[in-house]
């Protein structure tokens, strides 16, 4: 499934803001602008504000209030990291962030597990046949993760 293209960090923040409004969530955003401020910009060199191509990189960290606890880090390289109740989803394409959040807040995300090999996973299905799955490393599940368990 094609996701709406989010060409900039700011467009992704705007999309997250709409989802926060839709699900009645509080939201705080921290912006880091400039190669000397963003975490993915080692190639720009020490004390450089612009990337080698002359652009001004923009990174944002978004915290969404409510349950589950969700944070989104948007990187200037068109990728993102989403953490849901302590479960980290690294290197997500920035374009999937809105669908990912709608899956979490819309009740589609769920926890699966098995006895062998032992483990539990947080599964986040997106429209189409796209699914993201991460191993839950904590010993005890948070209340939200426990409610999301499916047999």
């Amino acid at each position: 499934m094609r996701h709406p293209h989010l060409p900039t960090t700011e467009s992704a923040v705007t999309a997250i803001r709409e989802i926060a409004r839709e699900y009645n969530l509080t939201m705080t955003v921290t912006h880091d602008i400039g190669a000397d401020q963003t975490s993915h910009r080692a190639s720009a060199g020490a004390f450089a504000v612009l990337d080698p191509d002359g652009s001004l990189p923009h990174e944002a960290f978004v915290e969404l209030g409510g349950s589950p606890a969700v944070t989104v880090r948007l990187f200037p390289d068109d990728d993102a990291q989403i953490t849901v109740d302590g479960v980290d989803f690294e290197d997500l394409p920035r374009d999937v962030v809105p669908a990912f959040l709608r899956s979490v807040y819309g009740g589609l995300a769920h926890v699966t597990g098995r006895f062998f090999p032992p483990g539990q996973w947080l599964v986040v299905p997106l429209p189409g046949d796209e699914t993201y799955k991460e191993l839950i490393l904590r010993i005890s599940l948070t209340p939200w993760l426990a409610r999301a368990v499916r047999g």
Side-chain angles (χ1 to χ4, degrees), residues 23 25 64-71 82-89 99-112 120-125 132 134-136 138 140-150:
Y23 288 96
L25 305 168
L64 295 164
S67 181
V70 174
T71 61
I82 299 177
T83 302
V84 179
D85 261 8
V87 180
D88 291 329
F89 290 81
F100 189 102
L101 294 175
R102 281 197 169 87
S103 180
V104 168
Y105 291 113
L108 297 175
H110 58 278
V111 173
T112 62
Q120 292 180 302
W121 287 263
L122 178 55
V123 179
V124 182
Y132 291 92
E134 284 295 330
L135 183 63
I136 300 170
R138 54 179 56 213
S140 62
L141 298 178
T142 65
W144 183 85
L145 288 170
R147 283 192 305 275
V149 171
R150 291 193 188 157

Side-chain angles (χ1 to χ4, degrees), residues 5-120:
H5 183 58
L6 300 171
T8 65
T9 297
E10 194 56 44
S11 63
V13 169
T14 299
I16 296 169
R17 189 169 278 118
E18 289 171 15
I19 291 166
R21 212 173 3 258
E22 183 179 327
Y23 288 96
N24 216 14
L25 305 168
T26 59
M27 176 177 152
T28 58
V29 183
T30 305
H31 295 275
D32 293 315
I33 299 173
D36 58 338
Q37 301 293 313
T38 58
S39 61
H40 274 201
R41 287 297 191 229
S43 66
F47 308 110
V49 174
L50 299 177
D51 275 345
D53 67 359
S55 65
L56 192 64
H58 178 190
E59 182 174 300
F61 181 75
V62 180
E63 290 181 90
L64 295 164
S67 181
V70 174
T71 61
V72 181
R73 184 172 297 279
L74 300 162
F75 298 106
D77 300 329
D78 293 339
D79 62 335
Q81 173 195 358
I82 299 177
T83 302
V84 179
D85 261 8
V87 180
D88 291 329
F89 290 81
E90 305 272 348
D91 300 320
L92 296 170
R94 181 168 55 206
D95 291 350
V96 305
V97 169
F100 189 102
L101 294 175
R102 281 197 169 87
S103 180
V104 168
Y105 291 113
L108 297 175
H110 58 278
V111 173
T112 62
R114 59 181 181 217
F115 291 109
F116 193 80
Q120 292 180 302

